[in-house]
Amino acid sequence: VQLQASGGGLVRPGDSLRLSCAASGSSFNSAGMAWFRQAPGKEREFVSAIRWGTASTDYADSVKGRFTISRDRAKSTVFLQMNSLKPEDTALYYCALDPIYNVDRRTRSRPDNYAYWGQGTQVTVSS
């Protein structure tokens, strides 16, 4: 399995960005995919997750209402639409894949639940 993340950049507060994560190398029908982020000096934190088969989603409280996760089955790609960006959203964003979606939300929010990771894409929000 390979994950290729893209779409990061430097934006101003209030702007939007859309991250993409292209997956290849396996069937993903049973998978869960997620976005995490890590700011300098901080631990990697959960942002959002999606169940590949049903497209059910969940979000960290800090991004709920501003970020939207989605997937395109034909392109094997997961997206993270980020609106109303804030300086505290600045981080390296990673996509991750769990081959078998975990129904426990607490487990889904832990980095060690995910076997495969993309390389990260930098998001910087600054005026």
Side-chain angles (χ1 to χ4, degrees), residues 5 10 16 46 71 80 84 89 102 113 121:
L10 171 62
S16 298
F46 172 79
R71 57 101 170 93
L80 186 69
S84 302
D89 295 318
N102 197 303
N113 182 59
T121 184

Side-chain angles (χ1 to χ4, degrees), residues 14-113:
D15 285 352
S16 298
L17 274 177
R18 189 175 81 154
L19 306 183
S20 300
C21 178
S24 61
S26 181
S27 170
F28 306 115
N29 289 334
S30 299
M33 293 188 71
W35 288 95
F36 287 78
R37 65 187 182 185
Q38 188 166 19
K42 295 189 176 181
E43 292 186 353
R44 192 166 297 190
E45 67 169 349
F46 172 79
V47 176
S48 183
I50 188 167
R51 187 171 189 171
W52 191 262
T54 63
S56 62
T57 60
D58 54 77
Y59 299 90
D61 288 343
S62 59
V63 306
K64 201 172 292 184
R66 300 188 298 122
F67 290 12
T68 303
I69 191 170
S70 61
R71 57 101 170 93
D72 183 325
R73 297 181 94 159
K75 297 181 179 179
S76 295
T77 299
V78 171
F79 303 99
L80 186 69
Q81 177 67 42
M82 305 185 295
N83 298 329
S84 302
L85 282 160
K86 304 175 181 180
E88 51 263 43
D89 295 318
T90 295
L92 190 60
Y93 283 69
Y94 297 91
C95 59
L97 185 146
D98 175 10
I100 304 296
Y101 179 82
N102 197 303
V103 298
D104 181 74
R105 188 191 185 281
R106 182 176 294 182
T107 303
R108 287 201 302 276
S109 68
R110 288 170 36 188
D112 62 5
N113 182 59

